Amino acid sequence: MLYELKKKFLHFLFIRSKQPVLFDDLLKANLIIHEGIIPSERLLNYRLRLGRSYLSFIILAHLFIIPVVGILHDFLASVDCHMSIILAIAFTGIFFASFTIYKEWLFESIAKQIIREAWKLHFPHFEYKHYHDKVARIFQEALNKKVPKQEMQMYILDELAKDEN
């Protein structure tokens, strides 16, 4: 239920290419995300709808802000005006800084979703949850050994098969 809601939310916020992710791009994106970095938009063929992301963030932020202000209203009304200005500046800074965090979370979520969908296409017999670390390690080894791009898929599948036996 929650996963489906998140999927629809991401579909609302992003434009995705109709073309499937290429095998080589999937390997690169999996390695990059394995290292804790968010893959680029060009690698996975998506783009953020910035206006919708601002709108969704403002709505989500107000779902948090309005109850907090309602609870703290009496205290905030009795605070000195100088302290009110300082608090307004602090909360404004927090508001804009949290949008950056929100945007990073969006990019990470869509990248993982696209990788999982592409994984089902390119590795249908190997579940993402169990094999993404192995594939990242094998791909890194293949890059170190300078395996040609044309032989990369066979090399990775052979190594996965060896690990299974």
Side-chain angles (χ1 to χ4, degrees):
M1 168 73 179
L2 189 59
Y3 177 74
E4 288 298 319
L5 184 64
K6 182 179 174 183
K7 192 174 180 179
K8 287 180 182 181
F9 183 66
L10 291 174
H11 178 71
F12 172 74
L13 294 175
F14 287 93
I15 296 173
R16 292 181 48 189
S17 172
K18 302 282 188 234
Q19 301 300 317
V21 176
L22 300 175
F23 184 78
D24 190 49
D25 291 341
L26 172 64
L27 293 175
K28 289 176 188 172
N30 184 52
L31 181 62
I32 290 170
I33 213 154
H34 178 72
E35 293 173 349
I37 303 169
I38 300 171
S40 72
E41 298 174 41
R42 290 186 188 126
L43 187 63
L44 295 174
N45 304 324
Y46 65 89
R47 185 174 61 83
L48 178 65
R49 294 175 172 167
L50 202 55
R52 290 183 181 189
S53 68
Y54 283 129
L55 179 66
S56 67
F57 177 73
I58 289 170
I59 290 169
L60 291 173
H62 278 79
L63 288 175
F64 174 76
I65 291 171
I66 290 174
V68 171
V69 169
I71 292 169
L72 298 176
H73 183 266
D74 292 334
F75 170 73
L76 294 173
S78 66
V79 172
D80 181 47
C81 67
H82 295 94
M83 185 58 110
S84 294
I85 293 169
I86 292 171
L87 286 174
I89 292 169
F91 285 120
T92 303
I94 291 169
F95 180 78
F96 287 110
S98 59
F99 177 73
T100 303
I101 295 168
Y102 172 72
K103 202 162 93 171
E104 289 294 315
W105 175 78
L106 288 176
F107 282 129
E108 184 177 354
S109 298
I110 194 70
K112 286 182 178 180
Q113 180 182 339
I114 292 171
I115 289 171
R116 282 191 184 101
E117 290 172 8
W119 192 275
K120 291 177 186 174
L121 176 67
H122 294 291
F123 295 106
H125 303 293
F126 301 98
E127 190 176 339
Y128 176 80
K129 187 168 70 171
H130 300 296
Y131 289 97
H132 70 96
D133 290 331
K134 285 182 185 179
V135 170
R137 180 184 47 81
I138 293 168
F139 181 58
Q140 186 63 50
E141 289 173 7
L143 290 175
N144 292 340
K145 291 180 182 178
K146 296 184 172 60
V147 173
K149 188 176 179 178
Q150 300 83 0
E151 299 172 12
M152 188 65 71
Q153 187 171 7
M154 252 347 258
Y155 178 82
I156 290 174
L157 291 175
D158 287 343
E159 291 297 316
L160 282 173
K162 284 180 192 175
D163 284 351
E164 286 299 307
N165 293 332

